[in-house]
Amino acid sequence: RQMCIRDRILGVLAPVFVFALLFGFWQWICVANEIPKWLLPSPANIFVCMVENFSEFGTHFLISFITVLSGFLLAVPLGVLLATGITSSKTLSAALSPYIIVLVTTPLIIILPLLMLFLGYGIKVRIIGVVLQSFAIVNMNTCTGILNVPTIRHELMQTVGASKWQSLRHVVYPTAALDIFTGIRLSAIFATTACVAAEYVGGNEGLGALIIKYSQYLKTTESFACIFYVTIIGLIMYGLVSFLQSKVIYWKS
């Protein structure tokens, strides 16, 4: 138990120490060389900007977070359910797998202008973009996990007369849980980057749109503040997935 507590303390202190080291070095570089704010603002200036202008950033932060969360919550069940169907049917796998690979390998910024051409520039299009970018990675990892379930476990469930749903619930999903959550964790990251990319391409709201706006006027401090807020969204999503994983895969905690 003492070793477990020590590992947890180390897990908290180590990244905090590296964070302080990196940002301390960044601060020293900016101050010692008198680098102008428009070229490279210091961390202190960025954090002050984040607090002082929170009333402006807050609305856009909320819009971006809602976009990320909405797309993510749609992408995860879609990816898992589609993976279940693909691994159960060779015909479905042959028909859909190439298109899923295309979604993974095609940059979202190429697809978005076409979506916006037909659907406009509202939040709905950005959510669709997040879903397209996020669900494929969940799907691929879920497929990997399901296909790696030992054959003997499938045979055991057939022996006891279990239905398809019972096999999925009691054997397939628990066995593939680590791979599924790996995909979900990656999906949370993809959702954040996809949201920012969508806001870059079109729209006048969200943190991505703010970054473009401030960059055009050389407001570098504000641009970095937006980037830090995007990072916070990513950390929140990653933390939520990690917390859920610890509750679902409790035997690995």
Side-chain angles (χ1 to χ4, degrees), residues 52-171:
E52 290 182 346
N53 299 312
F54 181 75
S55 59
E56 181 178 359
F57 294 137
T59 303
H60 294 276
F61 176 89
L62 188 60
I63 290 171
S64 294
F65 182 69
I66 291 173
T67 304
V68 171
L69 188 61
S70 300
F72 175 76
L73 291 177
L74 290 171
V76 170
L78 178 62
V80 173
L81 291 175
L82 193 58
T84 304
I86 287 174
T87 53
S88 301
S89 170
K90 291 183 178 180
T91 302
L92 197 60
S93 176
L96 297 180
S97 293
Y99 297 102
I100 293 173
I101 294 172
V102 167
L103 284 176
V104 173
T105 56
T106 304
L108 180 65
I109 201 166
I110 296 175
I111 303 173
L112 278 170
L114 297 176
L115 290 175
M116 291 177 177
L117 180 65
F118 295 106
L119 301 176
Y121 289 83
I123 190 172
K124 177 176 66 176
V125 179
R126 297 197 293 273
I127 292 175
I128 292 173
V130 172
V131 172
L132 290 176
Q133 193 77 4
S134 303
F135 100 93
I137 196 70
V138 177
N139 178 271
M140 295 183 72
N141 278 271
T142 303
C143 285
T144 300
I146 292 175
L147 292 175
N148 285 336
V149 175
T151 304
I152 191 171
R153 298 189 181 184
H154 289 289
E155 294 174 347
L156 177 61
M157 295 304 289
Q158 292 174 357
T159 301
V160 299
S163 65
K164 182 68 175 178
W165 165 245
Q166 289 173 327
S167 297
L168 286 170
R169 179 183 176 185
H170 297 290
V171 172

Side-chain angles (χ1 to χ4, degrees), residues 185 237-247:
R185 188 180 294 109
M237 296 297 297
Y238 190 89
L240 288 174
V241 174
S242 297
F243 175 77
L244 181 61
Q245 178 176 336
S246 68
K247 297 301 179 183

